[in-house]
Amino acid sequence: MSPPQYRSAADADLPSDESDQDLDIDVDELDPITTTHTSNRSLYGSSSQKRTAQDRHGRIALRNLRVGRLRQPVSRETDQWAQVSSRADDADALRGLVDDDGPDSTFRDSVGSVSDDAPLLQSDTRSYRRTREGRAGREGLSGFRSKLRLPGFVTGRWEAPRNGGIDDEEPVEEHDPSSTRTILVGQQQASRYPPNTVSNAKYTPWNFLPLTLYNEFSFFFNMYFLLVALSQIIPALRIGYLSTYIAPLAFVLFITLGKEAMDDIARRRRDAEANAEGYTVLRFVDRTPSTAPRSGRLRAMSRLGQGFRGHRGLVDERSGEDRLADVQEEEERLQHNGGPESTTAKVTESLKRSSDLKVGDVLKLSKNQRVPADVVILKSNANDAFPRSDDLKLSTIPDSDGDMLSGSTSPSQAHDHGSNSKAPSAKTALVTDAEEVGESFIRTDQLDGETDWKLRLASPLTQRLEMEEFTRLRLIAGKPDRKVNDFIGSVELSSKTGYISAKPENQQRRTSTLSNGAMNDDDDRSAHAETQTAPLTIDNTAWANTVLASNSTTLALVVYTGSQTRQALSTSPSRSKTGLLEYEINSLTKILCILTLTLSIVLVGLEGFESTEDHKWYVVIMRFLVLFSTIIPISLRVNLDMGKTVYARFIERDRGIPGTVVRTSTIPEELGRIEYLLSDKTGTLTQNEMELKKVHVGTVSYANEAMDEVSAYVRQAFTPAVTAGGHETTPLVTPSSAYTGPANVTTATRTRREIGSRVRDLVLALGLCHNVTPATEDLGGKSVTAYQASSPDEIAIVRWAETVGLRLLHRDRKSMTLQSTDTSRVVVRVRILDVFPFTSEGKRMGLIVQFQERNDPKDPPNGDIWFYQKGADTVMSSIVAANDWLEEETANMAREGLRTLVVGRKKLSAQQYQEFTVAYRQSSLVLHGRDAGMARVIKDHLEQDLELLGVTGVEDKLQQDVKPSLELLRNAGVKIWMLTGDKVETARCVAISAKLVARGQYIHTIAKLKRKDLAQDSLELLRSKPDACLLIDGESLGLFLTHLRESFISLAVRLPAVIACRCSPTQKADVAKLIREYTKKRICCIGDGGNDVSMIQAADVGVGIVGKEGRQASLAADFSIEQFCFLTKLLVWHGRNSYKRSAKLAQFVIHRGLIISVCQTMFSIASQFEPIALYKDWLLVGYATVYTMAPVFSLVLDKDVDEDLANLYPELYKELKTGRSLSYRSFFIWVFVSIYQGGIIQGLSQILVEVSGKRMVAVSFTVLVINELIMVAFEVTTWHPVMIMSLFGTALVYFGSIPFLDDYFDRSFVWSLEFLWKVVTISAISLIPPYVAKLVRRTLNPPSYRKVQGM
């Protein structure tokens, strides 16, 4: 039986019986061998001319003939034969398309009459005609675009793409993203859309050099050295070799740019892995006369048509009798087969990379597969293998008019149909309910952070359509939008006779038809009747990076790709991040520059600013600036950048945090300066796996090992009783069945029987009151039962019921079957009468069932009717009967971080249920206040004095070691915020279970605020409780961020913990930016989903966890880890070491530059203030490289405490945030030390040796090198073998190179005892006082790590 045809709202006025209209149909319109490509106005121009044409033709159209029923679509082979005939007559057709001859233009054959092959109706005109007035502007643009392609079809290139795909020809016009889009399914699109690529790269090949150079020279000291290097081009300012200043700067830039390039190349490689993920795509090949199935004379006609394809015209010389025979043959086949035999297109499958997907592609998705782009679901089957359309079996669904629910609309049925109110109640459906309505479940935690699965439905219009007919679909979607919960669109299905593919010639014909004029009234009505339209909503979509969760195979149409997907629009672009240490060093270099300029001016001022014959006084100042440029050491950036590379290597090779990847190697020191941690919940703190941990039945509570006792009760309750004759009874278990204890226990107490009965009733209620559907999966060759539901909580409850002995065997929209796991027998059968799904407002769900008493599926349910309901304790406490234990027990479970559900039931008589049905149906027909009215009926008739069965406690499993990790971070002084897209109740329970909220801590909840004055009152109340935890939802957060931004953030940053729920990705990023801008502190954001990418990129340090469903957060983050607990080691250990080492390294490099500048100053003063270099050429370069670099750089291996102490005393992390390791105080201490040592070294060298000359240079330079080596040794806290090797190795290199320094040293003097004692004396005087001062300072005020080590 052919699937039912749906009509749009515009078709409502059409009569159901069109028999009388056949008399008014034009004969030419009924031509069986012509295609409908042009409007009647273009052919005849007026109705009189049209009737004249009618009289000349006596043919009857195959596509409009009906045999005692409604009009059937035309046979596909006939339509295809007509297309071939039309193409063969290309010359005459071109005149009709290109020329605008007015009303007299017609298609004529060689005899001069109207050609038999003249196309009469434009198929797509029906859909365009119906919406013409609403989209006039867009159609006009489309027509203009088509006319621009005239050269393409004037040449006669009317053949379809050879492979039938949509990739063979790229459209030349870019689609305007601000307008709606029309998508032809499985065909080439008229516009070009962005590629479906994932890109986390910061640079492109074109902007890499400009951006990196801009970032480098935005730092003061890089710009300073660039100016110093450029100054050496001027002869008057040149001191020494030009390469002495150019080479170090080029080396620094090479190292920095190389590191940036390597990081970005690594990002691109990881992006390439994500873009290379393969997906199955359906390819549609238009059937040609040679491939479409035919019978009898039509096959011969096809072969004949192939011979005429290249000719100018094709004249049909068949007689009217032959045509009538074709008609009769076709009608007989239609009657026997129930519809056209052939299909529109042939479907094949191909594998495409994610980056190659395009708008219009039809994807074939299976369970646990990530959705690569924003798609609209076309078809979904719950089978393991997706069957072909012709293999789908139809079964009849009983009409509900005759049952007890006569005339009522159940919420489950309404939910299955989604928002499509135009779908008729068909009597035919596929084998399963999921197949009938096209149900699919998706996981969206990577998109919006919500743990609940989302139900998605295929439109009934596309669900019942064969795959081969998808090319007849056209989808209209809105412009790209970042709103993940909003979508408006429509899908149109043209008739087979009206189908026109996206071939160039067909698009030109459609445009020509529209431009030539409108159809007449009869054709307009026909178009309305043959084109079906259905609305599309958010329920029909699946956005990129969601995951198909249900055990189904889904066909989905790609609608938005790449940068236009919901997630991409909600994600901020990647940015280059600079550490706080870099800014601090930049500030210190400005101080050094001011010091250098001051010193240069002072030296020239001491001479009275007198100009000499060689240089003016201002030139002398510039030369002094060049001489003192070593005060700002250019090697500082090289050492720091190389140090960061070493830190990144240490992090990635740490076996304690396997799988960690450093994606941004420029900010490892930031890990040691974190003040605020913003964390996602789902997949970050939790595993998103629910487990029922505790049940309470009123008098006793069961948890952990006590669940075995529950299993025993269930086994007793659902084991068939044995009669006196030894035969087992067959009746099914119902709530009215008496509970019997074990047969071998005759002394069972009354209390035990009561508890057993309570346990049975609770387990039975949990086994029935849900929306879970079982499905079978093959895992390793074994058949395993899997459960599908929108909520993981419900799956956890059903799984628990199975573990204690009651399995959900079958579930559809009308019935449910439960099985005993011990005996594998069916023990419960119910008929589902009504389902009331869970809503965020109601916070409860329920259903009405009728039990079956005999275990015979053919017997109708004849048992009692029961209403079951479960929900949050806040709403259920007023619904269940009075009791004295519910409030206490739910509070106890809440303190344990469990998500509580209260379960109740109520027995209904047939009369009570009938009264409810009538009232519920009447309230559902009200136009205004319908939802409130229906809820009122449920409350009045059902939700009164329910019998309280028990309470369940479900735990959202936390990630490994989340509790101790959060406690350690709090002790380290890190303030933790949890930002999630999940529900308020869920976030509260997780915060308590994870110990984010301390036991007994007050939680101030702000939700659903819409007014500014109420928001201000909430802030005032919160201000009086500074130790409270703030729990706020996304709606209220948006109100604060809009109207009370400063007031909110100033109060929130002082709270110990903040929990934000229902946050959009944009809100998460806004909160991160707001904290960073307001506090000027370092913040770290951690997440695992695509909805966390914006937050991660907005943070100073972004950490991504490799999630189960995707790697979006991991790819976009600066650091990628596999578990949340790895974060503590990343911060407390690696962050501490990176920051402390970089601070010490920076201070030594600055000291090394300062001390040599002081020596230069002393020498200039002794040289009568002449800007003469003390150390030239190699000595200047060698001092900063081979003679001191290795020992100074070996400080990157130093550590003040070991890892165990850092974890044992996380308070040590607090002092890092103050920045004391590299502060103005420590900087000026090193400045004074450098001035003292430089003055002693150069002053004593000039006093003990000579003012100038090679001997003085030898003593001064040798003491300078030895001083730096010993100072490194003084600062080492924990010795490493590499440090020792670098110290002694550098000393050997220096003394080994002295024989080669004849241009700078007096070799004979160097090998004398005089040289030796003078070097030792000057070194001792320069080193001993600073070291003694350091020991005294440590004794009087020891650092924190010294105090810890002394414990």
Side-chain angles (χ1 to χ4, degrees):
M1 182 181 296
S2 61
Q5 303 296 320
Y6 297 101
R7 297 177 182 272
S8 63
D11 305 328
D13 57 341
L14 294 178
S16 58
D17 185 3
E18 302 177 7
S19 58
D20 295 337
Q21 298 179 12
D22 291 343
L23 300 176
D24 300 328
I25 297 178
D26 299 326
V27 177
D28 283 290
E29 180 188 353
L30 305 179
D31 190 342
I33 66 168
T34 58
T35 55
T36 58
H37 288 314
T38 56
S39 69
N40 292 330
R41 182 173 180 180
S42 65
L43 292 174
Y44 303 103
S46 64
S47 58
S48 59
Q49 292 173 334
K50 179 178 175 182
R51 294 187 182 277
T52 302
Q54 276 182 291
D55 298 336
R56 290 198 299 267
H57 297 276
R59 299 186 294 273
I60 302 175
L62 190 64
R63 65 181 175 87
N64 284 338
L65 281 180
R66 294 168 290 126
V67 183
R69 52 192 170 93
L70 291 178
R71 186 174 301 165
Q72 293 288 340
V74 72
S75 169
R76 184 60 187 160
E77 51 264 326
T78 307
D79 186 42
Q80 290 167 341
W81 164 249
Q83 291 185 19
V84 172
S85 303
S86 177
R87 291 171 189 163
D89 196 11
D90 55 356
D92 293 335
L94 282 175
R95 283 196 298 270
L97 287 173
V98 180
D99 299 339
D100 188 9
D101 296 333
D104 295 330
S105 14
T106 57
F107 286 88
R108 298 187 178 274
D109 55 18
S110 56
V111 186
S113 61
V114 178
S115 172
D116 294 340
D117 302 322
L120 298 175
L121 283 180
Q122 155 66 13
S123 65
D124 282 0
T125 302
R126 286 185 289 271
S127 57
Y128 274 93
R129 173 73 174 84
R130 188 163 48 86
T131 58
R132 180 183 177 188
E133 296 179 358
R135 297 193 298 268
R138 178 160 54 86
E139 290 176 353
L141 180 62
S142 175
F144 178 73
R145 183 168 58 236
S146 301
K147 291 178 181 179
L148 292 180
R149 296 177 185 165
L150 287 176
F153 71 81
V154 167
T155 57
R157 297 176 183 175
W158 283 15
E159 293 297 326
R162 294 186 179 182
N163 60 0
I166 68 174
D167 305 326
D168 303 316
E169 180 180 347
E170 189 71 24
V172 296
E173 183 172 339
E174 192 78 25
H175 179 263
D176 182 7
S178 63
S179 62
T180 59
R181 59 183 61 189
T182 301
I183 302 171
L184 303 178
V185 178
Q187 304 182 55
Q188 178 181 324
Q189 307 304 310
S191 301
R192 183 169 60 248
Y193 300 98
N196 191 51
T197 55
V198 176
S199 178
N200 292 289
K202 296 180 180 178
Y203 309 104
T204 65
W206 314 110
N207 66 15
F208 173 74
L209 276 179
L211 288 181
T212 51
L213 290 177
Y214 173 80
N215 291 334
E216 288 304 309
F217 289 114
S218 62
F219 287 98
F220 174 79
F221 53 86
N222 280 344
M223 180 60 68
Y224 176 81
F225 280 112
L226 177 63
L227 295 176
V228 169
L230 293 177
S231 69
Q232 297 305 291
I233 300 176
I234 304 174
L237 301 179
R238 183 175 300 170
I239 301 176
Y241 297 115
L242 182 63
S243 59
T244 305
Y245 299 90
I246 296 294
L249 179 62
F251 181 69
V252 169
L253 294 177
F254 176 78
I255 293 295
T256 305
L257 269 62
K259 189 159 61 62
E260 284 287 335
M262 291 177 62
D263 288 346
D264 215 51
I265 290 173
R267 293 189 194 96
R268 289 183 175 276
R269 288 176 178 172
R270 290 185 292 268
D271 290 341
E273 294 177 3
N275 291 327
E277 187 176 357
Y279 288 89
T280 302
V281 178
L282 301 187
R283 300 180 67 85
F284 300 89
V285 181
D286 285 349
R287 290 189 182 273
T288 62
S290 60
T291 61
R294 283 169 171 75
S295 59
R297 191 182 302 259
L298 292 179
R299 292 194 185 97
M301 291 169 61
S302 172
R303 289 190 294 269
L304 179 64
Q306 294 178 11
F308 283 90
R309 182 172 298 175
H311 291 258
R312 178 179 180 275
L314 177 62
V315 182
D316 190 359
E317 299 177 355
R318 294 180 298 155
S319 65
E321 295 180 358
D322 290 338
R323 292 177 178 271
L324 183 59
D326 291 341
V327 170
Q328 293 173 348
E329 178 182 357
E330 186 69 12
E331 284 299 325
E332 289 176 0
R333 185 174 57 79
L334 288 175
Q335 289 180 347
H336 289 302
N337 297 343
E341 178 182 331
S342 66
T343 54
T344 303
K346 179 181 178 182
V347 179
T348 60
E349 294 182 0
S350 62
L351 194 64
K352 266 191 177 185
R353 301 194 317 165
S354 175
S355 59
D356 295 335
L357 298 178
K358 297 182 178 181
V359 172
D361 280 342
V362 178
L363 305 180
K364 182 178 180 181
L365 301 172
S366 56
K367 182 176 181 181
N368 292 329
Q369 195 167 14
R370 182 181 68 89
V371 180
D374 287 357
V375 301
V376 167
I377 296 176
L378 300 178
K379 194 180 188 72
S380 181
N381 260 30
N383 300 333
D384 293 337
F386 195 83
R388 294 183 61 82
S389 308
D390 49 1
D391 296 332
L392 296 177
K393 304 301 180 184
L394 298 176
S395 64
T396 301
I397 290 181
D399 196 352
S400 61
D401 293 339
D403 57 26
M404 187 177 295
L405 270 177
S406 177
S408 66
T409 304
S410 70
S412 60
Q413 293 168 342
H415 183 60
D416 288 335
H417 286 287
S419 61
N420 186 8
S421 60
K422 301 178 183 178
S425 57
K427 295 290 184 71
T428 59
L430 297 180
V431 176
T432 65
D433 298 318
E435 292 173 357
E436 179 191 2
V437 297
E439 290 183 355
S440 297
F441 284 101
I442 60 173
R443 290 195 293 269
T444 63
D445 53 311
Q446 297 287 309
L447 182 68
D448 56 19
E450 294 189 18
T451 56
D452 290 353
W453 293 3
K454 305 297 189 303
L455 176 65
R456 292 295 185 257
L457 306 171
S459 172
L461 184 63
T462 60
Q463 175 65 21
R464 294 183 174 88
L465 190 66
E466 298 180 356
M467 291 184 295
E468 291 81 358
E469 304 297 332
F470 279 175
T471 52
R472 293 164 49 199
L473 294 172
R474 186 181 69 166
L475 187 140
I476 300 174
K479 64 181 181 180
D481 195 348
R482 67 172 59 185
K483 297 178 181 178
V484 297
N485 296 318
D486 187 24
F487 175 76
I488 297 176
S490 63
V491 60
E492 296 179 357
L493 173 65
S494 62
S495 66
K496 284 193 175 183
T497 56
Y499 165 70
I500 289 185
S501 67
K503 300 173 184 178
E505 73 276 13
N506 291 335
Q507 293 181 3
Q508 296 301 328
R509 292 176 182 221
R510 176 175 59 195
T511 304
S512 177
T513 302
L514 288 173
S515 61
N516 288 339
M519 297 181 295
N520 61 27
D521 295 339
D522 294 339
D523 295 333
D524 194 24
R525 288 194 300 269
S526 176
H528 278 287
E530 295 180 359
T531 299
Q532 304 175 44
T533 304
L536 296 175
T537 66
I538 186 65
D539 294 331
N540 309 116
T541 64
W543 302 141
N545 291 318
T546 58
V547 177
L548 186 64
S550 55
N551 186 24
S552 61
T553 303
T554 300
L555 300 182
L557 172 70
V558 176
V559 180
Y560 306 105
T561 55
S563 59
Q564 294 182 351
T565 60
R566 260 34 177 199
Q567 180 176 354
L569 293 174
S570 300
T571 303
S572 57
S574 300
R575 65 183 182 93
S576 297
K577 297 183 180 180
T578 304
L580 182 60
L581 185 71
E582 299 279 356
Y583 293 112
E584 293 173 344
I585 293 176
N586 195 51
S587 299
L588 297 180
T589 55
K590 294 178 182 179
I591 297 176
L592 294 176
C593 181
I594 295 174
L595 181 62
T596 303
L597 180 60
T598 302
L599 188 59
S600 302
I601 295 175
V602 168
L603 291 179
V604 176
L606 292 177
E607 280 289 300
F609 296 100
E610 296 181 358
S611 301
T612 62
E613 296 180 358
D614 298 331
H615 304 294
K616 299 292 184 180
W617 64 268
Y618 50 84
V619 175
V620 177
I621 293 178
M622 297 297 296
R623 288 175 61 85
F624 272 122
L625 282 175
V626 174
L627 283 175
F628 296 146
S629 62
T630 54
I631 290 180
I632 308 174
I634 194 170
S635 59
L636 178 60
R637 285 303 304 273
V638 178
N639 283 272
L640 290 178
D641 288 343
M642 293 176 62
K644 292 173 182 178
T645 304
V646 174
Y647 308 148
R649 182 76 169 172
F650 287 160
I651 293 173
E652 293 181 338
R653 293 173 63 90
D654 191 339
R655 296 181 180 179
I657 48 175
T660 301
V661 179
V662 180
R663 306 202 189 281
T664 305
S665 60
T666 57
I667 55 172
E669 305 93 350
E670 295 294 277
L671 295 171
R673 312 287 294 277
I674 300 301
E675 290 259 11
Y676 293 89
L677 174 65
L678 276 58
S679 173
D680 179 42
K681 178 189 72 68
T682 308
T684 303
L685 298 178
T686 67
Q687 302 179 30
N688 198 20
E689 295 180 5
M690 308 299 175
E691 181 181 7
L692 194 147
K693 302 290 289 186
K694 192 175 184 179
V695 295
H696 196 286
V697 293
T699 56
V700 63
S701 178
Y702 297 96
N704 303 324
E705 292 81 7
M707 292 298 182
D708 296 336
E709 188 173 350
V710 177
S711 301
Y713 283 127
V714 173
R715 190 182 306 111
Q716 296 167 14
F718 293 97
T719 299
V722 181
T723 63
H727 300 287
E728 294 182 350
T729 59
T730 57
L732 300 175
V733 177
T734 68
S736 303
S737 302
Y739 176 80
T740 57
N744 58 349
V745 179
T746 59
T747 60
T749 64
R750 179 180 178 182
T751 303
R752 185 171 179 81
R753 287 197 300 271
E754 289 180 353
I755 294 175
S757 179
R758 284 176 174 269
V759 170
R760 182 201 67 177
D761 292 340
L762 177 62
V763 174
L764 179 60
L766 295 177
L768 294 174
C769 188
H770 54 72
N771 276 317
V772 180
T773 303
T776 303
E777 297 180 358
D778 290 332
L779 295 177
K782 296 182 180 180
S783 180
V784 180
T785 300
Y787 296 111
Q788 300 173 178
S790 61
S791 173
D793 294 43
E794 292 201 321
I795 294 179
I797 292 175
V798 173
R799 288 189 183 279
W800 175 83
E802 181 180 0
T803 59
V804 297
L806 196 61
R807 176 187 295 123
L808 177 62
L809 181 64
H810 172 74
R811 165 73 181 265
D812 56 32
R813 290 188 299 160
K814 296 182 178 295
S815 64
M816 197 183 318
T817 304
L818 303 183
Q819 179 189 54
S820 172
T821 58
D822 293 323
T823 62
S824 297
R825 295 187 178 184
V826 174
V827 293
V828 178
R829 287 186 188 275
V830 297
R831 177 190 184 194
I832 302 175
L833 302 181
D834 284 286
V835 177
F836 311 103
F838 178 89
T839 61
S840 57
E841 293 79 15
K843 299 181 181 179
R844 58 193 182 277
M845 72 84 56
L847 80 170
I848 302 176
V849 297
Q850 184 177 22
F851 283 85
Q852 186 171 328
E853 296 181 351
R854 294 181 57 82
N855 192 9
D856 188 353
K858 297 181 180 179
D859 289 347
N862 53 5
D864 296 331
I865 300 175
W866 287 83
F867 169 60
Y868 287 96
Q869 190 174 57
K870 69 175 187 286
D873 60 287
T874 55
V875 296
M876 292 294 293
S877 59
S878 60
I879 296 176
V880 298
N883 60 87
D884 58 355
W885 59 270
L886 177 60
E887 182 178 355
E888 180 182 358
E889 188 57 36
T890 54
N892 292 335
M893 290 187 182
R895 280 191 289 269
E896 298 176 17
L898 300 179
R899 302 166 67 171
T900 58
L901 286 175
V902 179
V903 186
R905 70 177 180 179
K906 183 178 183 179
K907 187 176 180 180
L908 303 176
S909 64
Q911 181 180 357
Q912 287 177 320
Y913 180 69
Q914 188 65 29
E915 292 175 355
F916 162 75
T917 301
V918 173
Y920 193 75
R921 181 176 68 249
Q922 291 177 351
S923 64
S924 66
L925 300 177
V926 178
L927 297 180
H928 301 287
R930 177 183 300 177
D931 294 339
M934 295 169 70
R936 192 180 307 110
V937 171
I938 295 174
K939 180 179 180 181
D940 295 340
H941 289 78
L942 303 178
E943 296 178 341
Q944 299 288 338
D945 295 329
L946 266 65
E947 177 188 355
L948 178 59
L949 297 179
V951 181
T952 64
V954 177
E955 179 189 44
D956 192 351
K957 288 185 179 179
L958 299 176
Q959 294 279 1
Q960 180 182 354
D961 296 331
V962 163
K963 293 181 182 179
S965 298
L966 291 177
E967 183 179 1
L968 187 146
L969 291 174
R970 278 199 304 270
N971 293 334
V974 179
K975 293 183 179 180
I976 303 172
W977 290 35
M978 185 171 76
L979 310 180
T980 177
D982 215 338
K983 298 185 289 292
V984 174
E985 293 81 5
T986 305
R988 181 196 297 269
C989 293
V990 171
I992 295 174
S993 62
K995 304 301 181 186
L996 181 62
V997 178
R999 188 179 184 88
Q1001 184 179 3
Y1002 172 72
I1003 301 178
H1004 183 73
T1005 303
I1006 301 177
K1008 299 186 182 300
L1009 281 184
K1010 296 180 175 63
R1011 291 167 47 188
K1012 182 178 178 181
D1013 56 340
L1014 295 179
Q1016 186 66 49
D1017 294 340
S1018 298
L1019 286 183
E1020 293 300 329
L1021 179 60
L1022 183 61
R1023 189 171 283 110
S1024 63
K1025 299 179 179 181
D1027 295 330
C1029 169
L1030 174 62
L1031 177 61
I1032 186 172
D1033 67 348
E1035 183 180 1
S1036 305
L1037 179 63
L1039 180 65
F1040 282 117
L1041 295 180
T1042 303
H1043 300 290
L1044 302 170
R1045 193 179 186 91
E1046 292 295 328
S1047 301
F1048 170 75
I1049 195 63
S1050 62
L1051 178 60
V1053 294
R1054 295 199 297 266
L1055 298 176
V1058 176
I1059 304 167
C1061 315
R1062 294 295 189 186
C1063 287
S1064 66
T1066 305
Q1067 282 182 324
K1068 290 184 177 183
D1070 290 342
V1071 170
K1073 294 175 182 176
L1074 186 58
I1075 297 175
R1076 185 160 54 93
E1077 294 170 0
Y1078 180 81
T1079 64
K1080 307 299 181 184
K1081 304 293 185 181
R1082 301 289 97 179
I1083 67 170
C1084 172
C1085 293
I1086 181 171
D1088 74 314
N1091 61 316
D1092 303 317
V1093 171
S1094 294
M1095 176 180 69
I1096 287 173
Q1097 292 178 342
D1100 297 298
V1101 177
V1103 180
I1105 297 179
V1106 180
K1108 296 180 181 179
E1109 319 301 348
R1111 302 175 58 192
Q1112 293 76 31
S1114 170
L1115 292 174
D1118 305 309
F1119 300 89
S1120 172
I1121 59 178
E1122 294 185 349
Q1123 297 181 29
F1124 180 84
C1125 60
F1126 291 174
L1127 181 65
T1128 57
K1129 188 171 187 179
L1130 201 63
L1131 299 183
V1132 175
W1133 175 241
H1134 289 289
R1136 177 183 184 84
N1137 288 337
S1138 299
Y1139 172 63
K1140 297 280 284 187
R1141 289 165 176 172
S1142 288
K1144 186 176 291 186
L1145 181 63
Q1147 289 171 339
F1148 258 96
V1149 175
I1150 292 175
H1151 167 265
R1152 186 176 60 188
L1154 270 173
I1155 194 173
I1156 196 173
S1157 297
V1158 173
C1159 292
Q1160 177 65 53
T1161 303
M1162 297 293 294
F1163 178 73
S1164 298
I1165 294 174
S1167 304
Q1168 298 179 352
F1169 306 102
E1170 288 293 329
I1172 302 173
L1174 171 62
Y1175 309 120
K1176 298 180 181 180
D1177 305 331
W1178 168 249
L1179 292 184
L1180 194 62
V1181 175
Y1183 173 74
T1185 54
V1186 295
Y1187 295 151
T1188 60
M1189 184 174 180
V1192 172
F1193 188 72
S1194 68
L1195 291 173
V1196 300
L1197 304 174
D1198 191 20
K1199 57 183 179 181
D1200 53 359
V1201 296
D1202 58 21
E1203 184 178 348
D1204 294 335
L1205 277 177
N1207 291 324
L1208 186 60
Y1209 300 99
E1211 293 79 7
L1212 293 173
Y1213 188 85
K1214 291 182 180 180
E1215 69 175 11
L1216 301 180
K1217 296 182 294 183
T1218 62
R1220 294 176 56 185
S1221 298
L1222 184 61
S1223 61
Y1224 287 113
R1225 179 175 176 271
S1226 63
F1227 169 73
F1228 283 112
I1229 290 176
W1230 279 100
V1231 169
F1232 292 139
V1233 171
S1234 301
I1235 292 175
Y1236 167 78
Q1237 291 182 331
I1240 291 296
I1241 292 172
Q1242 186 60 29
L1244 292 181
S1245 296
Q1246 293 177 172
I1247 293 173
L1248 296 179
V1249 185
E1250 57 187 359
V1251 174
S1252 63
K1254 290 185 177 182
R1255 292 188 175 187
M1256 184 274 296
V1257 172
V1259 172
S1260 175
F1261 191 79
T1262 303
V1263 173
L1264 196 62
V1265 172
I1266 294 175
N1267 180 83
E1268 198 66 21
L1269 298 181
I1270 297 179
M1271 284 294 292
V1272 170
F1274 285 168
E1275 290 298 319
V1276 172
T1277 305
T1278 304
W1279 285 94
H1280 190 278
V1282 175
M1283 295 178 177
I1284 300 173
M1285 293 173 58
S1286 63
L1287 285 172
F1288 286 101
T1290 299
L1292 291 176
V1293 168
Y1294 172 70
F1295 288 109
S1297 65
I1298 288 179
F1300 304 98
L1301 301 177
D1302 289 342
D1303 293 342
Y1304 312 101
F1305 296 165
D1306 185 348
R1307 187 190 301 180
S1308 60
F1309 174 73
V1310 170
W1311 302 119
S1312 65
L1313 290 176
E1314 180 184 1
F1315 172 81
L1316 181 60
W1317 75 262
K1318 290 181 179 180
V1319 168
V1320 172
T1321 301
I1322 298 174
S1323 298
I1325 296 174
S1326 67
L1327 289 169
I1328 293 177
Y1331 183 69
V1332 172
K1334 178 181 179 180
L1335 293 178
V1336 172
R1337 187 175 71 253
R1338 283 187 176 181
T1339 303
L1340 298 177
N1341 186 21
S1344 300
Y1345 69 88
R1346 288 286 182 181
K1347 298 177 183 178
V1348 172
Q1349 290 173 341
M1351 292 182 181

